[in-house]
Amino acid sequence: MTKIKLVALGVLTASCAFAANAENTFSLGAGVGVVESPYKQYDKRVLPVPVITYESDNFWFRGLGGGYYLWNDQADKLSITAFYFPWEFKPKDSDNNQLRQLDRRKATMMAGLSYIHNTDYGFLRTTLAGDVLDNSNGVLWDIGWLYNYNNGALSVTPGIGVEWASDNLNQYYYGVSRSEARRSGLKSYDPDNGWSPYLELTVSYRLTDSWTVYGSGRYTHLSDEIKDSPMVDKSWGGLLSTGVTYRF
């Protein structure tokens, strides 16, 4: 798997947290990220992370995706969204001999609806999207509750949520077909849909009106459908990233 893409996906998630209430802003930045993949013998790595964020009354762009607002006010933000889903499996990137016999799983483009509801006690963030390139024909639903605490230049946003992946999505990225089983010696595996809960935290500190440093992380407890895959040897996935951004 190209882990820099997964790091960027984590930055997309984190940027949703601290940009949920932003208006008419544009920022660029860079940092580093550490990724832990659940696939067998994919070592965690430290990688560079690009950060691009844009927010206006009609459009938004964060990390690997963007959207057009159908509804946008202080309390509710509903948008049509599309984003690059970077999850992929390259057999040659694995140090496991059996996994090297499996078929490649490609990244894809997802599209659907995104919704944010702001309250005095935090905000709801949810996205429902499907694969539009027919690589997996899968559907992904992410729903989380986050709270943004501001104290001067410091901003802290903890969150809790869950991801639902359809059976097609899990089958494509974690399933093992009968032909793959014969080649690799792994058991064939046909997963169902599953829920993966997560915790996340984003912390940012504004050095000046333009410069901000940030750190973000997400811990995901993988669904049983993913954990039971013979391609996987972990019950969790994790991401940490930190960097600096400049707002224009």
Side-chain angles (χ1 to χ4, degrees):
M1 179 174 58
T2 307
K3 292 187 177 64
I4 187 171
K5 295 176 181 176
L6 182 56
V7 174
L9 180 63
V11 172
L12 166 66
T13 302
S15 67
C16 288
F18 58 74
N21 298 305
E23 292 184 359
N24 300 312
T25 62
F26 173 60
S27 65
L28 293 174
V32 294
V34 180
V35 180
E36 185 73 38
S37 168
Y39 287 126
K40 289 181 179 178
Q41 294 181 253
Y42 273 80
D43 295 332
K44 61 184 177 183
R45 296 176 61 190
V46 178
L47 298 160
V49 181
V51 182
I52 304 174
T53 304
Y54 174 74
E55 182 83 17
S56 72
D57 293 335
N58 297 315
F59 295 95
W60 59 268
F61 180 84
R62 304 178 197 118
L64 299 180
Y68 175 79
Y69 284 117
L70 301 174
W71 186 274
N72 184 10
D73 59 27
Q74 290 282 5
D76 298 288
K77 300 176 183 293
L78 175 66
S79 57
I80 299 172
T81 183
F83 57 91
Y84 181 64
F85 186 71
W87 200 265
E88 60 183 347
F89 172 75
K90 294 182 178 180
K92 65 179 182 180
D93 289 347
S94 175
D95 293 329
N96 183 282
N97 289 331
Q98 290 179 306
L99 264 62
R100 292 175 71 91
Q101 308 305 312
L102 303 181
D103 297 332
R104 180 180 176 181
R105 323 297 165 91
K106 297 180 180 179
T108 193
M109 182 68 67
M110 307 285 281
L113 292 174
S114 177
Y115 174 69
I116 290 175
H117 176 67
N118 292 299
T119 76
D120 293 335
Y121 307 100
F123 62 94
L124 173 74
R125 180 193 65 199
T126 185
T127 299
L128 178 65
D131 180 358
V132 296
L133 298 184
D134 293 332
N135 287 332
S136 69
N137 293 312
V139 176
L140 184 68
W141 180 31
D142 183 297
I143 182 168
W145 186 266
L146 302 96
Y147 180 80
N148 183 241
Y149 170 77
N150 294 295
N151 186 359
L154 177 67
S155 177
V156 180
T157 308
I160 184 171
V162 63
E163 285 184 342
W164 176 81
S166 70
D167 50 356
N168 282 347
L169 195 71
N170 283 338
Q171 171 63 38
Y172 184 71
Y173 289 105
Y174 301 104
V176 178
S177 68
R178 291 183 179 179
S179 61
E180 289 178 308
R182 287 193 295 269
R183 292 198 309 266
S184 66
L186 295 172
K187 293 182 179 180
S188 61
Y189 183 64
D190 185 11
D192 202 347
N193 64 80
W195 298 85
S196 297
Y198 62 81
L199 297 172
E200 68 176 60
L201 177 67
T202 298
V203 179
S204 63
Y205 186 81
R206 190 175 65 254
L207 300 173
T208 68
D209 288 342
S210 298
W211 290 99
T212 299
V213 293
Y214 74 90
S216 65
R218 176 184 278 205
Y219 170 87
T220 302
H221 184 76
L222 302 175
S223 70
D224 289 341
E225 299 299 321
I226 296 176
K227 289 187 295 183
D228 292 343
S229 168
M231 299 176 65
V232 170
D233 63 358
K234 297 180 181 67
S235 62
W236 61 279
L239 180 144
L240 293 172
S241 65
T242 185
V244 60
T245 63
Y246 180 84
R247 185 175 67 175
F248 294 88

